[in-house]
Amino acid sequence: VARHGQSMAVRDGRQTLAYGEMLGAAARVANALSDVGVRKGDRVAASLVNSVEFATLHYGVSLLGAVLVPCNLMLLESELAYVYSDCQPVAALAHAPFLPQVSAAAQSASVRNVIGVGAPSEAGLSLTELAQQADSTPPAVSVSADDLLYILYTSGTTGKPKGAMLTQHNIAWDAARCAEAIHVTAADIFLCVLPMFHSFAITTCLYTPMTVGAATAILDRFTPQTCLEAMAREKVTLFLGVPPMFAMLTRYKGDTDTSALRFAVTGGAPMAAPVLQAFEAKFGVPLLEGDGPTECGPVTAVNPLQGERRLNSIGLPLRGVEIRIFDDNDRQLPTNEIGEIVVRGPNVMKGYWNQPEATAEAMRSGWFHTGDLGKIDEDGYVYIVDRKKDMIIVSGINVYPREVEDILFTHPKVALAAVIGVPDEVKGEEIKALIQLKEGETATPQEIIRFCAERMAAYKVPRFVEFRDELPISGTGKVLKRTLREEASQA
């Protein structure tokens, strides 16, 4: 604010805030939350679409020393209720379309305050109105680097999400290193169409531009046309997205004006080399591939803007981030040998909320174990070659098969089920369910898909269903998913 108080901080289709105005708006949000009983360290859950209001909430919660729990907007009521029960927020906030399910989930989890953003909740609470009446002076709260800022829920292999605890310093440090790595300046204008409940958007589209006084133009949903129109209208210089977005932009046939664009960054899922090359050819700018898990801030590595970019690599570690390749006994492997990618640095989370055993397992030997299999070449470039566990990434969002399988096993006709990821040109991967029915039963793929759609978020629902007389089983009784994946890749 001292250096860039008059410069644009954020803008959406309805309002623009300069940095000086953003500080006042964030302070009002902090004081409004304080007025309803939120104190330092308390959790605040949020189900909001991309907007200036959501950006202001991120910063307001930070000023208050509270902890923001941004929730995936595709979560069903039961899934939201689990998150609320686990982190016990003092308040749950939502835009109008999400208020009914947020209210129901909050009631089952005994959340005291449900607050509407824009429209009031059933209890008559509106953050917009509360903030208008609140003081614009930041609250007198002492916030330290080690204080929690976010609990970000990421699916677990047990089927239950785990809350990654990220501190004020985790986020601020990672954002500053991102700005340094990709040479962001105060003249840059970011386009944020990544969902602002996701760690990728939080760090790279909110905090990274703030470290240098750059601006962020906010879109609430992605289509190739709206994205490109925003690039032209806002004179966007930097676009961050996930691989499916770049695939769709590359195929878009309409006229575009992306003359201000300097470069783009992709992450969240592996980028197919042909898509990367096609995007660069069409738009005439570099597309940098980077990556990192939510638990690491989330950015750990990116291909250099000024320097060699290597296809199929997530690039070089950020300055101050250490990346190694370990074997199953946590011994470091030599160059170009494949093992588990582990990370150490100031961006690595404090741990998983209320899960000390899971934290200890993930942080063995003082390194965060990502679950990704990869290698590091002789020049330090990092490559992800597979996933140690069975995680599927659909449009940059993690889906763990176990969670989907648990639902499938509740179907009265299903004897055995296995869920795998299959390649998809647009989404990166799609979900395929392979099912062995109980003897004498019959079912259709549509019946199974409909059953899943009623019980889980849309991005977790299998797109493909295949029935098998028998599924391949190991000697210990586990379904051989590697065999199924190999069969699918050869089909």
Side-chain angles (χ1 to χ4, degrees), residues 431-449:
I431 299 171
K432 180 175 183 177
L434 297 106
I435 292 173
Q436 183 178 322
L437 294 172
K438 294 176 181 175
E439 192 171 345
E441 295 286 3
T442 60
T444 65
Q446 291 73 23
E447 177 184 345
I448 299 297
I449 291 169

Side-chain angles (χ1 to χ4, degrees), residues 144-489:
S144 69
D146 199 44
D147 287 337
L148 283 191
L149 178 52
Y150 290 101
I151 298 176
L152 300 174
Y153 279 84
T154 178
S155 292
T157 53
T158 60
K160 292 296 185 185
K162 292 180 290 190
M165 299 186 291
L166 293 167
T167 67
Q168 295 267 351
H169 186 60
N170 288 151
I171 298 295
W173 189 92
D174 203 42
R177 288 297 181 269
C178 287
E180 174 188 87
I182 57 178
H183 304 276
V184 180
T185 74
D188 276 312
I189 300 174
F190 287 60
L191 179 62
C192 180
V193 69
L194 291 164
M196 288 165 60
F197 58 73
H198 195 281
S199 59
F200 189 6
I202 291 168
T203 295
T204 63
C205 295
L206 290 178
Y207 290 96
T208 294
M210 198 210 304
T211 64
V212 296
T216 299
I218 298 170
L219 272 184
D220 63 356
R221 63 177 57 87
F222 175 85
T223 70
Q225 181 176 341
T226 57
C227 182
L228 290 166
E229 287 174 351
M231 285 188 196
R233 181 177 64 250
E234 302 288 353
K235 296 182 171 34
V236 168
T237 63
L238 203 167
F239 173 65
L240 300 103
V242 291
M245 293 179 180
F246 293 102
M248 288 186 272
L249 288 170
T250 299
R251 293 176 186 164
Y252 183 68
K253 302 297 185 186
D255 293 332
T256 61
D257 174 15
T258 57
S259 55
L261 192 65
R262 293 201 297 127
F263 63 98
V265 179
T266 178
M271 166 63 84
V275 175
L276 186 149
Q277 292 167 323
F279 179 88
E280 291 190 340
K282 178 172 182 174
F283 293 95
V285 297
L287 175 54
L288 312 180
E289 187 171 3
D291 200 54
T294 293
E295 292 91 339
C296 295
V299 184
T300 59
V302 66
N303 272 275
L305 179 62
Q306 298 175 1
E308 183 182 356
R309 292 176 285 122
R310 296 190 178 175
L311 284 176
N312 302 316
S313 169
I314 62 169
L316 298 167
L318 300 181
R319 184 170 65 87
V321 173
E322 297 176 82
I323 300 180
R324 300 286 186 269
I325 306 297
F326 279 5
D327 66 11
D328 289 339
N329 296 311
D330 286 346
R331 293 177 300 209
Q332 185 174 339
L333 292 171
T335 299
N336 285 317
E337 283 204 26
I338 293 172
E340 183 170 7
I341 298 173
V342 297
V343 181
R344 187 166 66 183
N347 54 329
V348 174
M349 68 170 183
K350 201 169 188 175
Y352 293 116
W353 177 261
N354 282 340
Q355 296 203 37
E357 292 180 3
T359 300
E361 175 65 17
M363 295 300 300
R364 297 189 313 277
S365 308
W367 294 79
F368 176 70
H369 290 60
T370 66
D372 289 325
L373 292 174
K375 62 181 182 178
I376 300 175
D377 69 17
E378 56 281 353
D379 297 315
Y381 285 76
V382 182
Y383 300 78
I384 297 175
V385 298
D386 203 347
R387 284 181 290 281
K388 192 170 185 179
K389 299 185 173 68
D390 297 319
M391 187 177 72
I392 303 166
I393 301 179
V394 180
S395 295
I397 301 176
N398 296 350
V399 178
Y400 280 84
R402 172 71 181 274
E403 193 175 1
V404 183
E405 289 160 359
D406 285 349
I407 296 295
L408 288 169
F409 281 124
T410 67
H411 193 290
K413 297 179 180 179
V414 172
L416 198 59
V419 169
I420 62 172
V422 293
D424 181 85
E425 207 168 291
V426 172
K427 294 185 177 180
E429 287 184 297
E430 274 286 7
I431 299 171
K432 180 175 183 177
L434 297 106
I435 292 173
Q436 183 178 322
L437 294 172
K438 294 176 181 175
E439 192 171 345
E441 295 286 3
T442 60
T444 65
Q446 291 73 23
E447 177 184 345
I448 299 297
I449 291 169
R450 191 162 54 246
F451 180 84
C452 291
E454 293 168 356
R455 290 163 174 80
M456 65 182 75
Y459 68 92
K460 302 176 187 176
V461 175
R463 183 177 176 189
F464 306 105
V465 175
E466 180 181 336
F467 296 102
R468 295 277 188 96
D469 291 336
E470 288 185 349
L471 294 178
I473 303 293
S474 72
T476 57
K478 295 180 180 177
V479 177
L480 295 171
K481 290 189 178 179
R482 177 172 291 183
T483 301
L484 295 174
R485 283 193 288 265
E486 288 171 355
E487 292 172 354
S489 67

Side-chain angles (χ1 to χ4, degrees), residues 8-17 22 25 29 46-60 68 73 93-98 116-119 127-128 191-198 201-202 205-206 216-221:
M8 175 181 134
V10 292
R11 175 157 60 217
D12 61 16
R14 295 176 298 106
Q15 58 180 320
T16 301
L17 293 180
M22 172 59 85
V29 165
S47 297
L48 303 180
V49 300
N50 282 13
S51 56
V52 166
E53 295 161 325
F54 200 1
T56 306
L57 178 66
H58 279 275
Y59 302 142
L68 188 61
L73 297 180
L93 281 67
H95 274 131
F98 309 101
V117 177
L127 183 66
T128 310
L191 179 62
C192 180
V193 69
L194 291 164
M196 288 165 60
F197 58 73
H198 195 281
I202 291 168
C205 295
L206 290 178
T216 299
I218 298 170
L219 272 184
D220 63 356
R221 63 177 57 87

Side-chain angles (χ1 to χ4, degrees), residues 114-132:
V114 175
I115 304 173
V117 177
S121 65
E122 287 183 11
L125 292 174
S126 162
L127 183 66
T128 310
E129 294 177 4
L130 290 168
Q132 285 172 349

Side-chain angles (χ1 to χ4, degrees), residues 84-100:
Y84 294 170
S85 297
D86 189 54
C87 71
Q88 298 182 312
V90 170
L93 281 67
H95 274 131
F98 309 101
L99 273 172

